[in-house]
Amino acid sequence: MATMVDVARSAGVSVATVSHVLNDTRPVRPATRQAVLDAIDELGYTPNTLARSLVTSRTRSIGLAVSAISNPYFTEILQGVEAGALEHGYSLLIADPHDDPVHERKVVQLLHERRVDGMLVAPSAHPEELLGYLGRHDVPTVFLDRLVDGGRTAPGFAFDQVCAENAEPVTLLVRHLAELGHKRIGLVAGLPGLSTTSERISGYRHGLAYAGLPYDERLVVPGNSEAAGAERATDALLSLPAPPTALVTANNAMTIGALRAVRERGLSVPGDLALCCFDDFSWADLFSPRLTAISQPSKEIGAQAVRLLLDRLDSPGREARTVRLPSAFVHRTSCGCPEKGSDS
């Protein structure tokens, strides 16, 4: 089995230089670095990660705690995180907090006990225990997808955050439905307490105000960010004496639940109910009708979260940053618009 001495001899450098290349502990000239990497590849050298972590106090691992990993949206975030981590030579440890504050704190503690260098977390609606733990133990952390109110962070402790724009895209969906003539537009909202939920409700209200439509609290029902809850919420909306003629669903899982409720009533989209959804997903274009949606830059959210975390590890004292990435409006036919190119 090849050793660091063998790599150094093959590359014509010192063992210390090989160590600096492997551990990023000192700048190395590009040509020298490449010679070391070529020798590693040629000899099939595998670094001793455990031994290296004892020297550098780094394990080159990242903990990722996100709920509903089976959700296509979070799956794409995971892909972005994994690609970013691998690009910089980091491994990934993953846990699902199940959107439960107590379980969230436990899984984050378990990841921390495995000596990850830092944490990426999509926080729950009530992250007080999580924030307390991260602050007490000074764990470098980036929150992704969902933001945490800066007033609730631990005193003197900085959290970086990255998410998509939430309010403005929902405003755009509501305005679009209003321009199509809809005056009663319902919203199947997410889990109360999440930043994504409050921001998307805010965007919904702004869209109504822009269109000159009144806000009716009966037209906003929480679907709790999951399909079963959205099915119940949609059924409640369609049971109103004056039900909505158009609906906005606030994530992809809730879109599935809403469509199921519409089908159970023997109704059709967009014939009986126009529908727009937050979150695009790979099969949204295969539905009939094709789903008009807001597409979030999910992979880029994951990749950006890794970059923020690595910046934090390199510069622990820098000011916290919150990065918002733009979402895109994907115009299809579930809103009631004809197919592009259609004369009808």
Side-chain angles (χ1 to χ4, degrees):
M1 180 180 293
T3 66
M4 284 181 66
V5 173
D6 297 326
V7 172
R9 185 180 299 115
S10 176
V13 300
S14 67
V15 172
T17 298
V18 175
S19 176
H20 290 314
V21 170
L22 291 172
N23 299 314
D24 289 327
T25 48
R26 194 190 72 184
V28 177
R29 290 190 302 113
T32 302
R33 174 180 291 274
Q34 190 58 53
V36 171
L37 294 176
D38 289 344
I40 289 171
D41 185 55
E42 179 182 345
L43 296 172
Y45 171 69
T46 303
N48 186 326
T49 303
L50 178 59
R52 185 169 65 184
S53 71
L54 294 174
V55 174
T56 64
S57 298
R58 294 269 189 98
T59 60
R60 298 194 73 82
S61 62
I62 294 171
L64 174 65
V66 295
S67 295
I69 292 173
S70 60
N71 184 313
Y73 169 67
F74 280 116
T75 300
E76 290 190 359
I77 284 184
L78 171 58
Q79 290 171 357
V81 169
E82 184 178 39
L86 288 175
E87 179 184 351
H88 293 92
Y90 280 76
S91 59
L92 204 58
L93 278 70
I94 305 171
D96 187 340
H98 300 296
D99 272 330
D100 176 81
V102 175
H103 191 61
E104 172 180 66
R105 188 243 187 245
K106 288 180 180 177
V107 300
V108 164
Q109 179 176 345
L110 287 172
L111 290 171
H112 184 221
E113 289 172 352
R114 280 156 180 76
R115 301 185 66 239
V116 296
D117 293 337
M119 209 87 69
L120 306 177
V121 182
S124 69
H126 302 284
E128 287 76 16
E129 285 195 41
L130 167 71
L131 295 174
Y133 181 87
L134 294 172
R136 285 193 304 275
H137 295 277
D138 197 23
V139 183
T141 302
V142 175
F143 293 125
L144 48 75
D145 181 59
R146 305 158 176 180
L147 303 185
V148 171
D149 178 5
R152 292 192 291 169
T153 60
F157 194 74
F159 294 106
D160 297 297
Q161 310 191 93
V162 57
C163 68
E165 292 288 353
N166 286 294
E168 185 178 347
V170 176
T171 297
L172 181 62
L173 293 180
V174 173
R175 286 178 55 185
H176 179 64
L177 291 168
E179 288 166 359
L180 293 175
H182 295 282
K183 299 188 182 303
R184 290 186 63 75
I185 302 170
L187 173 68
V188 178
L191 186 68
L194 296 179
S195 66
T196 48
T197 298
S198 59
E199 289 180 2
R200 291 169 196 177
I201 291 175
S202 176
Y204 167 80
R205 297 190 69 155
H206 285 148
L208 292 176
Y210 185 93
L213 298 175
Y215 172 73
D216 183 345
E217 63 180 12
R218 294 172 298 177
L219 292 178
V220 179
V221 182
N224 296 327
S225 301
E226 43 100 25
E231 185 173 359
R232 292 190 295 270
T234 303
D235 192 61
L237 285 167
L238 295 176
S239 297
L240 291 171
T245 61
L247 192 63
V248 175
T249 53
N251 79 0
N252 54 14
M254 292 191 293
T255 300
I256 301 301
L259 288 170
R260 188 178 295 133
V262 171
R263 183 193 63 191
E264 289 297 315
R265 284 178 169 259
L267 303 177
S268 68
V269 173
D272 298 301
L273 182 73
L275 185 141
C276 292
C277 53
F278 203 103
D279 280 344
D280 198 19
F281 41 99
S282 57
W283 58 88
D285 197 38
L286 302 178
F287 278 79
S288 180
R290 298 161 62 239
L291 298 178
T292 294
I294 295 297
S295 176
Q296 297 192 77
S298 46
K299 290 182 182 178
E300 179 56 25
I301 289 173
Q304 181 67 51
V306 172
R307 289 193 288 269
L308 285 172
L309 181 59
L310 297 185
D311 285 350
R312 172 63 58 193
L313 293 173
D314 289 339
S315 305
R318 68 166 176 77
E319 289 189 7
R321 285 183 286 173
T322 294
V323 177
R324 285 187 179 270
L325 301 173
S327 298
F329 177 54
V330 184
H331 190 189
R332 299 191 182 104
T333 58
S334 63
C335 54
C337 292
E339 291 278 2
K340 283 187 176 182
S342 172
D343 294 328
S344 58

